[in-house]
Amino acid sequence: MKKNWFLAIASVLLIGVSAPSTASAQITHTIANTSQPSVIRVAIRSLNPSGEGDPRGRIIWVQSVPFDQYCKDVLPNEWVPAWNFASLQAGAMAVKMFAWYHHLHPITIDGFTFDVDNTVNFQAFRYLSGQPETNAAFASIRKYAYVKPGGEIIELNYRAGYQDDPNWQYRNAQKMAQWGSQYWAQKGRSYVQILQFYYIDRTLTQIRS
């Protein structure tokens, strides 16, 4: 009995020393080792009284959507299609990188495994809602990623912000203001300059096809 007890304790200690931690075993996803997704899983939630996806609604099903299609069907619901093209390009990059990051970090709720849902819990998604202006903006940035200098894929967060204002406070929080992107676009800034203003220590990089 004592011998078995001792061996059991020794085995536990040995496992504790030799087993790698979960954190150290995690892979850092970069544009060098990770291809742009071809499909993203979207949890479709029940509708609210206004006929829109309810962030607190129950999940009805999970829809597999081509990744490019998803981005095109989010952008006009997060950015105003009539805004300046540079603003739409900055928005397209934020939408894409947010989706790419969450594709790499799926979650499971109520037995459903998915990457994002169709509400503002993640990004507002409406199937086949793409517009010519926003589709063109996405096409112009599709072959690029906005990542950390080492190529790490991270989400680009954004918030509405305030109209006719640069929204400096979001820059300090590493978030892009949607209204701020339009403000800077009206001032003649390119989409890369807009991204550089809001996201510090990031770089534009061409991705693998």
Side-chain angles (χ1 to χ4, degrees):
M1 291 288 292
K2 288 184 178 179
K3 183 177 181 180
N4 291 339
W5 175 84
F6 175 79
L7 290 175
I9 294 297
S11 298
V12 170
L13 291 174
L14 181 60
I15 292 172
V17 170
S18 61
S21 67
T22 302
S24 63
Q26 288 180 344
I27 297 174
T28 298
H29 296 285
T30 72
I31 56 173
N33 63 24
T34 308
S35 298
Q36 184 166 285
S38 58
V39 174
I40 189 167
R41 295 170 296 179
V42 184
I44 306 300
R45 292 187 179 272
S46 58
L47 302 180
N48 62 22
S50 300
E52 299 177 343
D54 186 349
R56 297 184 178 181
R58 66 183 181 87
I59 298 173
I60 302 172
W61 63 300
V62 174
Q63 180 180 1
S64 292
V65 182
F67 186 76
D68 286 7
Q69 184 70 53
Y70 170 81
C71 294
K72 292 176 182 178
D73 289 343
V74 167
L75 188 55
N77 300 298
E78 294 285 0
W79 260 257
V80 179
W83 280 357
N84 289 41
F85 194 64
S87 171
L88 299 181
Q89 288 177 299
M93 183 63 77
V95 165
K96 181 175 82 166
M97 297 311 300
F98 185 96
W100 192 344
Y101 174 86
H102 284 281
H103 170 77
L104 298 171
H105 301 85
I107 60 175
T108 300
I109 297 177
D110 296 335
F112 293 95
T113 299
F114 57 94
D115 306 317
V116 295
D117 72 18
N118 64 323
T119 79
V120 293
N121 288 332
F122 292 87
Q123 302 185 115
F125 165 79
R126 295 182 181 86
Y127 189 55
L128 298 180
S129 63
Q131 301 295 314
E133 299 85 355
T134 50
N135 287 351
F138 175 76
S140 71
I141 61 91
R142 186 190 179 281
K143 294 182 179 180
Y144 297 90
Y146 204 61
V147 294
K148 286 188 174 181
E152 183 180 354
I153 298 166
I154 59 169
E155 62 181 341
L156 297 184
N157 284 300
Y158 54 89
R159 296 291 185 272
Y162 301 96
Q163 189 173 355
D164 300 324
D165 190 278
N167 290 272
W168 285 86
Q169 67 274 27
Y170 289 98
R171 182 176 194 263
N172 296 332
Q174 290 278 47
K175 294 180 176 68
M176 178 164 57
Q178 289 153 288
W179 276 108
S181 72
Q182 172 64 355
Y183 171 89
W184 288 117
Q186 290 176 323
K187 298 291 185 183
R189 299 285 182 92
S190 70
Y191 86 92
V192 176
Q193 290 173 320
I194 295 170
L195 292 172
Q196 289 172 338
F197 177 79
Y198 288 108
Y199 303 113
I200 301 170
D201 193 31
R202 305 287 184 269
T203 184
L204 185 73
T205 307
Q206 189 164 4
I207 60 177
R208 296 181 295 170
S209 58

